[in-house]
Amino acid sequence: MKSSSGLSGDTETAQSQVSVGMGLLAGSNVMLLTILWGTCLLVGKCDLENSVAVDQKDEKRFSLTGSGVSTDIWTSYAARIMVFSIIPFVIVQLPQVFHRTSDNRLAILISLIVAISFVIAYSLYQVFQPWIQKRKLALSKHKHVMSEILIQLKTNALGRLLTTDGDPNKVVIEKLFKTLDQDSDGYLSTADLRSLIIGIQFDDMDINIDEAISQVMRDFDTSHDSKIDVDEFFKGISRWINKAKRVAIMERGKLPPSMKLLEDFDKKTKKEQDQFMDQMDEVVEDVKNVKWHASKAVGLLLLGTIVAAVFADPLVDAVDNFSTATSIPSFFISFVILPFASSSEIVSTLIFVSRKKQRTASLAYSEIYGSVTMSNILSLAVFLGLVYIRNLTWSFSAEVLVIVVICILMGAIASFRTTFPLWMSLVAMLLYPLSLLLVYILDYVFGWS
């Protein structure tokens, strides 16, 4: 009677399980990042205005450049994490790249350790992500307060805040200090700051006057005596201006006039604020019961691994029998048919993205990137462990290559932009048959596996 686990069955069965599993892993990842990615863009498209998709507005129909999907900054982060998740694949293939087959087992072991480490790190990231989001939101709000106050100070200043050399103008800033020091005691108190800030309109942001005053005090009051002297004021304003200068130089390559400098900095901080705010409406307020959530995540991962091991043999048998009955190569079944049959994300993701909102599009694409990331590290760790323990043959260069290429291509696209015009769906979908053709040629023509 055949064992239900590749860990205790015969070597041939274990090798078949890994082969089918790697085909399924590669096929699933490629399908998610090409067919499903492109279909989500087709289903969730909205009209693009100022390079941003307008929620639930779809009047341009199938305009390749006038319609598309926008996501938030957190989705870009998820795509970057996905790109890093291919590192174990690269490590395990190094002996083949450098023709050092004698180092195969060492590479497999190192890749296994790295994959397990990534699983733990990614699980912890998921647990602490709400806290990370809140922290980044707080930092973006702080920078926007800085920019608004600097613009207000520039308006009130009797001269240029920057000298001709681009340095903070000490004379003008000290005059500005005396203007703000209403009781002429040589210090700025919370009352003086309130008079400055009360006239600033922080748009529709969740920032009140007391919060803004506290931020100024934290940045300027280095003596911690709850008041700001002229030296602290100059140094604080200088630090803020230098931050705006660094942003301008990075974006423009040169330093614009002072008012343009502050306006550009304000626009950038407001845009960053909007990006972070998009996903905060449903983020939990506090990370509670961290140990319980971490334990639950680990338990679910172990349960999923056990279930996969238990049903591995029946899956391999089904693939072999179907391949024999239909004369379809088992590679084609595991790489093409199984991913569509076993992927639970397809229907739910398309339903979600069909609501045509940036929020739902962000979550849909984040789910795609997250699924690929977990597949790259958790599923690979299971297969590497099986190969290492049973001393099996690692001969999946074609599958690894296509995973690495597709993850890098799609990850690079999603990492550095948040709006995707409709024409990108055609590019993504075209990558699917090209990936299938590449694996087939490498496996069956050049005999890589």
Side-chain angles (χ1 to χ4, degrees):
M1 186 174 179
K2 189 183 292 185
S3 169
S4 63
S5 171
L7 197 60
S8 58
D10 59 75
T11 302
E12 184 180 354
T13 299
Q15 188 71 55
S16 297
Q17 288 180 359
V18 176
S19 298
V20 172
M22 281 301 299
L24 177 58
L25 188 155
S28 296
N29 286 358
V30 171
M31 183 272 294
L32 290 174
L33 291 175
T34 56
I35 298 296
L36 184 57
W37 195 97
T39 305
C40 283
L41 187 47
L42 283 171
V43 173
K45 66 180 180 63
C46 298
D47 292 349
L48 296 182
E49 296 181 5
N50 298 320
S51 300
V52 177
V54 181
D55 284 355
Q56 297 183 323
K57 183 179 180 182
D58 188 15
E59 299 174 356
K60 297 181 181 179
R61 307 303 296 169
F62 290 96
S63 172
L64 294 179
T65 56
S67 61
V69 165
S70 289
T71 59
D72 55 37
I73 193 68
W74 302 103
T75 309
S76 297
Y77 294 163
R80 294 174 192 177
I81 293 173
M82 179 188 70
V83 174
F84 279 108
S85 71
I86 66 173
I87 291 177
F89 285 106
V90 176
I91 294 174
V92 78
Q93 285 301 128
L94 289 179
Q96 280 75 27
V97 173
F98 294 102
H99 305 289
R100 298 279 299 271
T101 55
S102 59
D103 295 330
N104 275 346
R105 277 186 63 78
L106 177 61
I108 292 171
L109 178 60
I110 295 174
S111 182
L112 173 61
I113 294 172
V114 172
I116 293 174
S117 301
F118 279 13
V119 170
I120 296 172
Y122 187 62
S123 300
L124 291 175
Y125 171 78
Q126 294 297 320
V127 171
F128 288 102
Q129 188 180 18
W131 179 86
I132 296 171
Q133 289 176 335
K134 289 187 67 179
R135 179 61 179 164
K136 285 186 175 290
L137 174 63
L139 290 174
S140 67
K141 288 170 67 174
H142 178 253
K143 286 193 290 185
H144 190 61
V145 169
M146 285 169 44
S147 65
E148 291 284 357
I149 292 177
L150 283 174
I151 289 177
Q152 183 78 352
L153 291 175
K154 172 62 182 174
T155 303
N156 296 337
L158 301 175
R160 298 170 60 90
L161 285 180
L162 299 180
T163 64
T164 54
D165 296 328
D167 297 321
N169 193 328
K170 188 171 184 178
V171 174
V172 172
I173 293 175
E174 288 180 348
K175 287 181 179 179
L176 185 58
F177 175 87
K178 293 178 180 179
T179 302
L180 298 175
D181 182 15
Q182 296 179 347
D183 54 8
S184 301
D185 63 350
Y187 296 96
L188 295 184
S189 63
T190 54
D192 295 324
L193 295 177
R194 183 177 296 274
S195 299
L196 167 67
I197 295 172
I198 198 168
I200 299 177
Q201 299 294 324
F202 288 109
D203 303 320
D204 56 351
M205 293 167 51
D206 186 22
I207 297 176
N208 56 45
I209 294 175
D210 291 334
E211 183 181 357
I213 292 173
S214 297
Q215 289 185 13
V216 176
M217 277 294 182
R218 283 195 299 269
D219 279 8
F220 286 29
D221 182 21
T222 55
S223 61
H224 305 292
D225 56 0
S226 300
K227 53 187 179 181
I228 302 169
D229 61 30
V230 64
D231 186 56
E232 289 174 329
F233 184 75
F234 173 72
K235 290 179 179 178
I237 293 296
S238 298
R239 285 194 298 271
W240 282 11
I241 291 176
N242 287 333
K243 286 183 180 180
K245 286 168 57 179
R246 285 194 295 270
V247 171
I249 292 173
M250 287 178 63
E251 297 238 330
R252 292 169 166 262
K254 62 180 181 179
L255 198 62
S258 59
M259 197 62 196
K260 181 65 175 174
L261 166 71
L262 299 180
E263 288 176 351
D264 288 350
F265 184 58
D266 187 57
K267 289 179 182 178
K268 182 173 179 59
T269 58
K270 183 62 171 66
K271 181 179 179 181
E272 183 180 279
Q273 169 75 26
D274 291 339
Q275 287 179 321
F276 287 129
M277 281 292 291
D278 285 336
Q279 201 170 349
M280 287 304 296
D281 53 348
E282 295 182 25
V283 170
V284 295
E285 294 184 359
D286 294 298
V287 181
K288 300 178 180 179
N289 300 322
V290 172
K291 291 183 178 179
W292 184 85
H293 286 296
S295 300
K296 180 181 178 182
V298 172
L300 290 175
L301 288 175
L302 292 175
L303 179 61
T305 303
I306 293 171
V307 170
V310 169
F311 288 98
D313 262 357
L315 180 62
V316 173
D317 288 341
V319 170
D320 289 339
N321 293 336
F322 188 77
S323 175
T324 301
T326 60
S327 299
I328 299 175
S330 59
F331 153 77
F332 183 84
I333 297 172
S334 60
F335 191 90
V336 180
I337 298 177
L338 282 183
F340 286 93
S342 62
S343 179
S344 59
E345 293 95 346
I346 296 178
V347 176
S348 60
T349 302
L350 292 179
I351 291 175
F352 208 54
V353 80
S354 65
R355 298 175 187 174
K356 295 182 179 295
K357 294 182 178 181
Q358 182 183 20
R359 167 67 178 163
T360 54
S362 299
L363 290 176
Y365 280 104
S366 294
E367 183 178 351
I368 291 175
Y369 304 142
S371 296
V372 174
T373 299
M374 286 304 293
S375 180
N376 283 349
I377 54 181
L378 179 59
S379 298
L380 180 64
V382 174
F383 296 139
L384 288 172
L386 185 58
V387 170
Y388 185 80
I389 293 172
R390 296 298 305 274
N391 198 20
L392 304 177
T393 302
W394 181 265
S395 56
F396 308 106
S397 298
E399 289 84 347
V400 169
L401 178 62
V402 76
I403 290 173
V404 170
V405 169
I406 295 299
C407 283
I408 289 178
L409 285 177
M410 299 305 296
I413 291 173
S415 294
F416 300 104
R417 63 184 303 154
T418 55
T419 297
F420 310 96
L422 189 59
W423 62 265
M424 285 189 172
S425 66
L426 303 178
V427 175
M429 291 182 176
L430 182 61
L431 288 175
Y432 184 77
L434 291 178
S435 301
L436 178 61
L437 180 63
L438 174 63
V439 176
Y440 184 84
I441 291 175
L442 293 177
D443 271 348
Y444 291 90
V445 176
F446 292 98
W448 273 29
S449 299

